[in-house]
Amino acid sequence: MKGMALIEGPWWSLELLPRLPQRMVEGILSLLGLPDGLVHFTGLLVAAGTVTGVFLGLFALLSLIERKVLARIQNRIGPNRAGWFGILQPVADGIKMLTKEDIVPAKAEWFLHLLAPVMIVLPSILALSVIPIGREWTPVSLELGLLLFFAVGALTELSVFIAGWASGSKFPMLGALRAIAQMVSYELPLILSALGVVMVTGSLSLPDIVRHQGDWHLGFIPAWNLFTPWGLVGGIVFFIAAIAEANRCPFDLPEGESEIVAGHMTEYSGFKYALFFIGEYLGLFAISSLGVTLFLGGWQAPLPWLGFIPSWCWFFGKLALVIFLFLWIRGTYPRVRIDQLMRFAWFCLIPIALLTLPAAALWHYTGRGWLGWLVSLPLFFVPWLILTMVFNKRLAGTRRTYRFAES
Amino acid sequence: MIPVLILSATILAAAAGAVWLARPVHAALLLALTLALNAVLYLVLGAHFVGLVQFMVYVGAVAVLIVFSLMITRTTDEVAEVAGRRGRFLLGLICALPVMAVLSAMRMGAGPVSIGPSPSGPSLKETGQTLFTSHAPAVLAVAVLLTAVMIGAALLAREDKPEPGKPE
């Protein structure tokens, strides 16, 4: 019975619900008298399965909700044939994807062509594993969780390249070129805006970052990083960069249908295409979860007297809110041009993201209160004014020319 | 011990493939694999910070830079021609031997070490403090170098202004 020490808290506790599968398997295995190492290892596998399962389920749900929300925005009805309110639509989509023919182009390298869709799902799942989902549940609690999150992101870029190159076709190559240029450019503001949080918290561990946001101002305003001058600006920059990293509209140039078919996914069909789709949505979940963790207080309740609701409910609630914002933006804004995209990253987002670092330092050294707001206001306002003036001056009166389309 | 040995063998195989394969894209991808496996080796040995930074910098930046430059250039034919040249093995050996000699000499001077995960590596705070106090000059030198590179890249990438009177 030595393994029973692994279990803490009653099994019916809602707070511990996400860990129930892991604890059940660990409990059964230790009752059978297996060695502790094996029990722990199996428990970790079950935990990994739980994370993957939960987010894959959310993906299926989101693929329906997205179509419903977009339909509502565009004054349509949306999918409503498969089941009640179209609830079986994800199942129908899945069966369609599974039964489609798998096409490998004659000029493609079959091994790399196969490797890319498999590889693209990996980083998102790895990244989701370090996110603190509830007070009692961080799948993998690492001292360097944030670093791991950004490090595994590198795999996405490589797999997009492999997909584009191994297809042996023009459009995938162009799409991959665009996608990598975009990801590399928008990774900078993403990481820079997260750095302010690391500076103030003094830790790269995501559970620590969430715990650090557990206070209340005036007894009812949560001390989330979003409600600080640098956090507000950093959070907005993070959100915009996250849209670009997740290849969502209005930054979905790598797969802009009207320009380059489907980008690096052009030569994929059947379940390989579905894997790209899954990878993209898991990436969206991962980056939104990180945003929630860094700026919106993770699993912390928004009001002090709401603490009785299990913490993971708050996490998923905030995640749903952020994802709804993504959908809303997709339904509202048109796609930008590639030069606008690049200019926006390098001339606008990166300078502002850099400014959050001195602002975070100032806020810290002025006692983390209203004085910090007072100091930060000119710090952000003056460069913003200058940037706006420069842009307006450069754009005013210039006729838009199409260098390669005309002549 | 055994994971380290398996990893080392895989790293060597990937590195050899990166050198020997004729197509530049394959070589670049195997190089990326080599660098990524190196990061895994650091992680297995307990150097978490170095491992993750290795992954972030070498796989996320260096390998991506290499494949990106492969994408926007068309080097396949030239490289295949160079790869087919005779005597390249000898030339490579001559270039590699001094490096190997220096590395072996360093290894000999270091004395015996045990392979395997260290019980407790330095914490993140300790690493940071060492980096920004005793190694501050090196960090600053790298910062200056990178700034120079950034300025140079910005200068190179600047759009040439069209000459007055000439249509674009």
Side-chain angles (χ1 to χ4, degrees), chain A residues 27-67:
Chain A
I28 292 169
L29 286 185
S30 57
L31 273 182
L32 291 175
L34 291 172
D36 266 0
L38 191 67
V39 171
H40 187 61
F41 183 72
T42 321
L44 281 182
L45 280 186
V46 172
T50 317
V51 180
T52 318
V54 164
F55 280 100
L56 278 181
L58 282 180
F59 153 73
L61 201 62
L62 179 63
S63 70
L64 173 68
I65 292 174
E66 170 157 32
R67 290 168 72 176

Side-chain angles (χ1 to χ4, degrees), chain B residues 44-144:
Chain B
V44 169
L45 290 176
H48 294 172
F49 184 71
V50 179
L52 288 177
V53 168
Q54 157 93 8
F55 202 87
M56 204 166 167
V57 172
Y58 282 91
V59 182
V62 174
V64 168
L65 182 75
I66 291 173
V67 296
F68 199 76
S69 53
L70 279 177
M71 262 198 289
I72 54 177
T73 52
R74 190 172 285 274
T75 51
T76 321
D77 306 331
E78 291 161 36
V79 173
E81 195 253 322
V82 172
R85 224 175 260 166
R86 249 189 270 159
R88 72 191 167 103
F89 184 75
L90 202 69
L91 207 67
L93 211 61
I94 293 170
C95 294
L97 274 179
V99 178
M100 209 170 159
V102 171
L103 285 179
S104 336
M106 281 167 73
R107 179 65 199 82
M108 297 287 184
V113 276
S114 61
I115 303 176
S118 55
S120 62
S123 76
L124 182 61
K125 280 221 164 78
E126 286 165 20
T127 315
Q129 257 155 11
T130 324
L131 206 60
F132 289 107
T133 51
S134 49
H135 293 284
V139 172
L140 282 179
V142 171
V144 169

Side-chain angles (χ1 to χ4, degrees), chain A residues 109 151 154 157 165 173 403, chain B residues 23 25-26 55 60 64 71 168:
Chain A
E109 298 217 357
E157 287 155 28
W165 187 81
M173 194 67 181
R403 256 185 293 169
Chain B
R23 296 196 78 170
V25 172
H26 292 163
F55 202 87
V64 168
M71 262 198 289
E168 207 176 310

Side-chain angles (χ1 to χ4, degrees), chain A residues 253-269:
Chain A
L253 290 123
E255 49 210 80
E257 303 92 338
S258 53
E259 299 159 24
I260 46 172
V261 196
H264 54 274
M265 298 178 270
T266 305
E267 300 291 353
Y268 284 93
S269 65

Side-chain angles (χ1 to χ4, degrees), chain A residues 272-304:
Chain A
K272 284 182 192 164
Y273 181 80
L275 278 178
F276 275 106
F277 206 63
I278 293 173
E280 195 166 296
Y281 275 82
L282 286 183
L284 178 68
F285 282 129
I287 205 116
S288 313
S289 308
L290 186 69
V292 167
T293 304
L294 290 180
F295 296 104
L296 292 176
W299 43 257
Q300 307 274 6
L303 287 168

